[in-house]
Amino acid sequence: MPRASLLVTLSAALLPAAAPSLAAQAPVSAPISKVHYDLTFDSTTAAARNIRMAMTMDVAGTAPVLLSIPAWAPGHYDLINFARRVSHFAATMDGKPVLTDRYDFDTWRVRPAGKGTVTVTFDFRADTLQTSSSWSAPDFLFVNGTNVFLFPEGGPLDFPATVTVHTQPGWRIATGMHPAGAAGTYGEKNYHDLADMPFYIGRFDLDSAQISGKWTRMASWPAGHLSGTNRDAMWDALKKVIPAESAVFGETPWDNYTVFLGFPPTFGGATALEHQSSNLGLYFRGFVSSPGLANVVAHEIFHAWNVKRLRPADMVPYRYNRENPTTLLWVSEGFSDYYADLAEVRGGAIDSTAWADNTVGHILTFTNSPPVSVEDASLAVWVHPLDGTDMLYYDKGAIVGLLLDIQIRDASDNAGSLDGVMRSLYQSTYKQGKGFTNEQFWAAVSRNAGGRSFAEFSRHYVEASEPLPLDSVLALAGLKLISEKSRVPRLGINTMGDTTGLRITGVVEGGPYAAAGGQVGDTVLVLGGVPYKNDLNMNTFRHTWAGRDGESFPVEIRRAGQPMTLTVKVMLVDRTDTRLLFDSTASARALRVRQGLLHGGGR
């Protein structure tokens, strides 16, 4: 035996027997009952950007209670580990301290002194601008239940619980949770429902309307930001979109629905997270006037059926302490993108041209990215690959949904549809308390297409990353994808448009705009004689200055509140414009398919 090996062997012999790993122990908490949570957010806790939490429960004896906090929030497929924001964890019984320690990275062990009532307290840091997290201002908080509601590790999650919110007099509370007794107290029948109900607490706007026979509420922060014609437009869109989405499934499944909209002053994007009776979105401030706002909200509302209720079997029930991988996010997320566009056009919120533009946007997103199958993209979300394929299950999944819908309608002469697939799965799986499998999904597709097999389609375009058969399938609905090349002026900027103008969010070093002294933060008001109102004006600008390479044109901007005019030289670049056209020579069968897509119909 070599000397090094002998030393290792002797050292190992002197060590005590290794304890079994925590992972192998499959920890299970002692049972708890009569669970109640107290959530405190007022001007005092706001100053520290903390939420003060208390959890009260009955225990039967001295067996350890293991309390965990989720590691992720359903809908945001990423391990966030909310435990890192917990501090001052402690427990008492009858006013006396109870021993606690950390069992693992997101679980605390509480050692009761005997039978009785245990109260656990802790602070949660609310400083994360992320829809799955919690964030506070001096007079406002949004908080997700997965951040602050502890659950018994390894135990059943069907326990009922109540929550009381303690806040500043005059501050509002909005949540989808059901009222339970005194004002500020709410309750749910199980932990899954409890954790899926975010709150707005503080000063914000709140109004409501009846849509599809149910109350819908709109809660927006900061107060006064989403107002006037922009708020009216949002309400108009909701009144058109929700009935169109309800029609797909034949029911509106919530008692009430809340649209939470946040416009933080420093936020630069647009993102939202679905819940079973609400959605919570964070948007840059200029997004209030963008048609994209209604589209994002329509996507999240469709999730109330597709993923919050109709869900892949891999995610039933949700497991909060680890990843919940599935190959079917292209259905859960991609189809929600597809139906957000359909609901808008079917409900009359947009016209068919805008629907076609949205469809082209989905196509360009994945055709300009590295090839990936929608199944692989669904699985890879948990590691967020850096190769440009991150989350392509959205856009590519939406187009796979469109191609399936067209083929189902064509095979059945518009008697069947993807609507029918979703409705039948909703009834046969969600209504039976279970999720759907890959096999059940494709069986439903085949049934709605009159028995046609989609095995080859799945093999080539869902499991593998072969280019989608866009031209041949779109033709079945009288749709034609065309690409046209031209030379257009390029400024070398990244932008976000709103009613105040075209906001510059990025400037390319050495580009025409940078050479003219342009800066990030400028707002373009008039571009080469063309006032900016929306992206259609950008097309007018490109057409006006096409073919005038090297000439100069004025750009009227606002910088730090002051008007300025820059002189920019035209630099022409090659550009390919892709459009989805409605074929006027389509067959009667194709026209029926297209009519069914855009207006509904088919079982």
Side-chain angles (χ1 to χ4, degrees):
M1 180 181 294
R3 183 172 181 274
S5 299
L6 177 61
L7 289 175
V8 170
T9 303
L10 291 174
S11 298
L14 296 175
L15 293 174
S21 69
L22 291 178
Q25 292 179 21
V28 177
S29 172
I32 61 174
S33 61
K34 294 184 181 179
V35 177
H36 178 79
Y37 303 88
D38 287 277
L39 187 159
T40 300
F41 180 78
D42 53 26
S43 58
T44 300
T45 61
R49 304 199 74 179
N50 277 335
I51 305 166
R52 186 62 178 165
M53 289 299 303
M55 178 185 184
T56 304
M57 72 213 85
D58 282 2
V59 298
T62 60
V65 174
L66 304 180
L67 298 176
S68 294
I69 201 164
W72 71 296
H76 186 174
Y77 307 106
D78 195 8
L79 290 180
I80 304 171
N81 296 320
F82 299 116
R84 67 195 298 260
R85 302 200 172 276
V86 172
S87 62
H88 303 108
F89 190 96
T92 59
M93 284 188 76
D94 299 323
K96 297 177 182 179
V98 172
L99 289 175
T100 67
D101 65 347
R102 196 182 278 269
Y103 183 83
D104 61 29
F105 67 93
D106 61 3
T107 304
W108 288 263
R109 176 166 40 199
V110 180
R111 302 177 186 272
K115 180 178 180 181
T117 301
V118 174
T119 299
V120 168
T121 58
F122 62 92
D123 290 335
F124 188 88
R125 181 81 169 167
D127 63 354
T128 307
L129 266 179
Q130 194 174 59
T131 53
S132 58
S133 299
S134 300
W135 186 83
S136 62
D139 60 355
F140 172 75
L141 168 74
F142 73 77
V143 54
N144 282 276
T146 47
N147 296 190
V148 293
F149 296 140
L150 301 168
F151 64 91
E153 180 70 31
L157 299 182
D158 57 356
F159 61 90
T162 52
V163 180
T164 298
V165 176
H166 308 272
T167 191
Q168 199 79 7
W171 286 7
R172 281 176 159 156
I173 304 169
T175 181
M177 208 174 287
H178 292 89
T185 297
Y186 308 88
E188 292 298 330
K189 62 183 179 298
N190 60 63
Y191 181 83
H192 296 295
D193 292 347
L194 182 86
D196 196 40
M197 303 286 180
F199 284 85
Y200 265 18
I201 302 169
R203 301 187 189 279
F204 55 90
D205 290 330
L206 180 66
D207 53 0
S208 59
Q210 278 219 337
I211 304 176
S212 295
K214 305 287 182 72
W215 282 107
T216 299
R217 297 177 294 205
M218 193 188 311
S220 62
W221 179 88
H225 187 70
L226 180 61
S227 59
T229 57
N230 289 328
R231 196 173 192 89
D232 292 343
M234 190 69 235
W235 272 119
D236 183 62
L238 290 173
K239 291 173 182 177
K240 293 173 177 176
V241 163
I242 290 176
E245 295 185 342
S246 296
V248 174
F249 296 93
E251 69 173 21
T252 306
W254 52 75
D255 296 328
N256 57 74
Y257 193 94
T258 306
V259 179
F260 294 101
L261 302 136
F263 302 91
T266 58
F267 199 73
T271 182
L273 183 66
E274 73 273 6
H275 301 277
Q276 61 180 291
S277 63
S278 64
N279 70 81
L280 195 158
L282 296 173
Y283 310 99
F284 71 93
R285 292 210 159 182
F287 209 49
V288 289
S289 58
S290 169
L293 178 59
N295 187 261
V296 173
V297 172
H299 171 105
E300 303 305 336
I301 293 174
F302 194 77
H303 272 315
W305 294 271
N306 186 33
V307 87
K308 298 312 299 186
R309 290 174 172 83
L310 175 62
R311 193 184 312 163
D314 304 311
M315 296 195 295
V316 178
Y318 286 130
R319 296 165 300 282
Y320 297 97
N321 59 351
R322 62 178 177 84
E323 302 93 333
N324 286 221
T326 178
T327 60
L328 289 164
L329 281 187
W330 62 277
V331 175
S332 298
E333 296 289 351
F335 284 16
S336 294
D337 255 9
Y338 175 57
Y339 274 103
D341 298 337
L342 281 188
E344 286 194 294
V345 71
R346 289 178 180 179
I350 61 174
D351 61 19
S352 58
T353 301
W355 173 83
D357 289 343
N358 288 348
T359 301
V360 169
H362 294 307
I363 292 171
L364 292 180
T365 296
F366 69 81
T367 55
N368 291 330
S369 302
V372 65
S373 76
V374 288
E375 285 194 349
D376 286 354
S378 297
L379 288 172
V381 64
W382 289 98
V383 296
H384 296 290
L386 302 177
D387 62 357
T389 63
D390 189 26
M391 296 192 288
L392 282 183
Y393 53 80
Y394 281 101
D395 293 285
K396 194 170 185 180
I399 299 305
V400 170
L402 169 63
L403 299 185
L404 286 174
D405 204 353
I406 291 173
Q407 291 176 94
I408 294 168
R409 291 177 183 276
D410 175 70
S412 64
D413 197 11
N414 211 43
S417 66
L418 192 62
D419 295 11
V421 173
M422 302 301 282
R423 192 181 307 117
S424 65
L425 286 174
Y426 187 78
Q427 293 294 329
S428 64
T429 61
Y430 163 66
K431 290 287 190 176
Q432 304 303 314
K434 56 188 179 182
F436 68 91
T437 64
N438 192 61
E439 293 73 21
Q440 288 172 315
F441 171 80
W442 288 111
V445 171
S446 180
R447 282 196 306 274
N448 276 268
R452 175 180 169 180
S453 172
F454 283 80
E456 287 300 306
F457 183 90
S458 174
R459 183 175 299 112
H460 291 283
Y461 308 119
V462 173
E463 300 167 44
S465 58
E466 294 184 28
L468 297 181
L470 295 171
D471 293 338
S472 60
V473 177
L474 290 173
L476 300 175
L479 298 169
K480 184 183 297 185
L481 200 64
I482 66 166
S483 295
E484 298 174 330
K485 292 185 177 180
S486 59
R487 284 181 61 78
V488 298
R490 176 64 56 84
L491 294 175
I493 55 176
N494 297 319
T495 63
M496 284 185 177
D498 57 47
T499 54
T500 65
L502 189 68
R503 185 159 57 94
I504 308 300
T505 60
V507 175
V508 177
E509 185 177 351
Y513 193 74
Q519 300 176 7
V520 171
D522 293 347
T523 298
V524 174
L525 306 176
V526 182
L527 190 62
V530 180
Y532 178 82
K533 293 183 180 178
N534 54 47
D535 287 344
L536 294 178
N537 301 114
M538 289 297 291
N539 292 333
T540 302
F541 159 74
R542 294 186 187 105
H543 177 76
T544 301
W545 291 92
R548 299 167 68 173
D549 202 6
E551 294 186 32
S552 297
F553 61 91
V555 179
E556 298 176 30
I557 68 169
R558 185 173 57 248
R559 180 181 295 168
Q562 299 300 313
M564 296 178 62
T565 300
L566 306 178
T567 300
V568 180
K569 281 191 175 183
V570 175
M571 182 181 75
L572 298 181
V573 297
D574 292 331
R575 173 187 172 96
T576 300
D577 286 312
T578 302
R579 292 185 292 154
L580 185 64
L581 302 182
F582 297 88
D583 187 356
S584 60
T585 66
S587 68
R589 187 186 190 92
L591 290 176
R592 287 194 294 273
V593 170
R594 191 168 76 203
Q595 178 77 4
L597 286 175
L598 298 181
H599 301 284
R603 64 177 185 270

